Amino acid sequence: MNPSKKDVHDVYLKYFGHVVKGSIYYDFQPTYMQTEILFGESYAILEKYNQRDLDLDTTFHYEVLYVSDEGLILKKFYRKKLENIKSLESHPLFQSAIWMIEERTSEYINTENIIQIVSKDVYAAKVPTNNSTYHYLMKKSELFEPFFKDLYNEMESYYNGDKRHSIEKWDFAEFLQTEHGVQFEHSEGVDIILSNCLGMMRKLNITKEAMAEYFCKYIL
């Protein structure tokens, strides 16, 4: 899952497929998994089958959405029976062999796409599902639905939750004032905007310098 030496954050996983046994076709409903962090050179066990199951005609699709140092990454994998996998016969973390499943696509999602969705209606308490960019991302993967739900929950936590008194929020406001000449009034609207910025910084793993640039481009 994460053979690199770098940690990845906010990992969302989905897999689904079907099996054919004789004239019987069985469809597996999508299974969703999530973890806040997957450490470098770590693995996520998605499925486990008995040896007798491996003789069946199985097809599985896997999707992984996560935040890395490079940005938001969407990967898709595909397994057709055992035709397109590699088996690691030995690994220090496991007693039995594990599979390396064929990667079909790996796509970088531009951070600005996420920023634009939020900034389009910066006061919205929930993701604007009628937004065209949101629809575009949802067509790529349904994993964007829980991702955005968590993003808006994170932003809300800075506005009206357990992080509402976070000093980071006002440090960011001071940074915008001193480095970009942004002047703020003391208002509820300003609090919402700053809370959204902090939530996006946390969820998208971006620096305050980068967030300030996005702020001036899309929100100011």
Side-chain angles (χ1 to χ4, degrees):
M1 168 56 211
N2 185 24
S4 72
K5 296 183 181 298
K6 295 182 179 180
D7 302 340
V8 295
H9 302 268
D10 295 304
V11 183
Y12 299 83
L13 306 106
K14 171 189 175 183
Y15 66 92
F16 59 95
H18 67 265
V19 60
V20 179
K21 186 176 182 180
S23 60
I24 300 175
Y25 178 96
Y26 183 79
D27 196 20
F28 291 98
Q29 293 302 308
T31 296
Y32 295 87
M33 302 171 67
Q34 182 178 343
T35 183
E36 290 186 1
I37 184 169
L38 192 63
F39 296 103
E41 300 183 283
S42 296
Y43 290 82
I45 304 301
L46 299 185
E47 56 172 319
K48 183 177 180 180
Y49 283 93
N50 297 321
Q51 185 65 39
R52 60 182 176 82
D53 295 329
L54 303 182
D55 297 328
L56 301 176
D57 183 3
T58 56
T59 299
F60 269 84
H61 300 269
Y62 310 82
E63 297 179 8
V64 183
L65 180 68
Y66 63 90
V67 179
S68 70
D69 292 339
E70 293 74 34
L72 199 60
I73 308 295
L74 175 64
K75 289 180 178 287
K76 295 185 178 183
F77 303 82
Y78 168 77
R79 178 174 74 77
K80 172 66 174 176
K81 204 172 180 179
L82 297 183
E83 297 172 0
N84 57 338
I85 68 169
K86 294 181 180 179
S87 180
L88 295 180
E89 295 302 330
S90 62
H91 191 282
L93 294 178
F94 306 105
Q95 295 180 349
S96 58
I98 60 174
W99 298 339
M100 292 182 62
I101 303 170
E102 177 184 352
E103 181 180 306
R104 297 179 65 191
T105 62
S106 179
E107 185 175 359
Y108 167 76
I109 307 299
N110 195 327
T111 301
E112 292 195 38
N113 286 340
I114 312 300
I115 305 291
Q116 288 175 336
I117 291 173
V118 176
S119 63
K120 189 74 172 181
D121 187 357
V122 75
Y123 301 112
K126 297 180 180 180
V127 60
T129 54
N130 59 344
N131 182 283
S132 59
T133 306
Y134 178 78
H135 282 288
Y136 166 76
L137 294 176
M138 283 292 293
K139 287 181 179 179
K140 290 182 177 294
S141 174
E142 292 181 353
L143 290 176
F144 281 102
E145 183 175 358
F147 172 83
F148 274 102
K149 181 180 178 180
D150 290 345
L151 170 61
Y152 274 76
N153 286 339
E154 184 72 14
M155 294 190 299
E156 174 65 16
S157 73
Y158 280 98
Y159 171 59
N160 199 30
D162 58 350
K163 300 178 183 178
R164 62 186 179 278
H165 299 305
S166 172
I167 193 171
E168 296 174 284
K169 185 162 54 173
W170 309 114
D171 284 345
F172 181 64
E174 183 177 355
F175 180 79
L176 288 172
Q177 290 174 331
T178 57
E179 298 297 325
H180 294 273
V182 179
Q183 298 298 316
F184 291 110
E185 299 177 353
H186 292 287
S187 68
E188 183 180 10
V190 168
D191 194 358
I192 293 174
I193 292 173
L194 292 174
S195 298
N196 288 353
C197 289
L198 263 294
M200 287 188 285
M201 287 167 60
R202 156 65 184 86
K203 192 67 175 175
L204 298 173
N205 194 30
I206 54 180
T207 64
K208 65 179 181 181
E209 290 80 9
M211 189 66 242
E213 294 292 335
Y214 290 130
F215 177 92
C216 294
K217 183 176 182 180
Y218 295 112
I219 300 176
L220 187 61

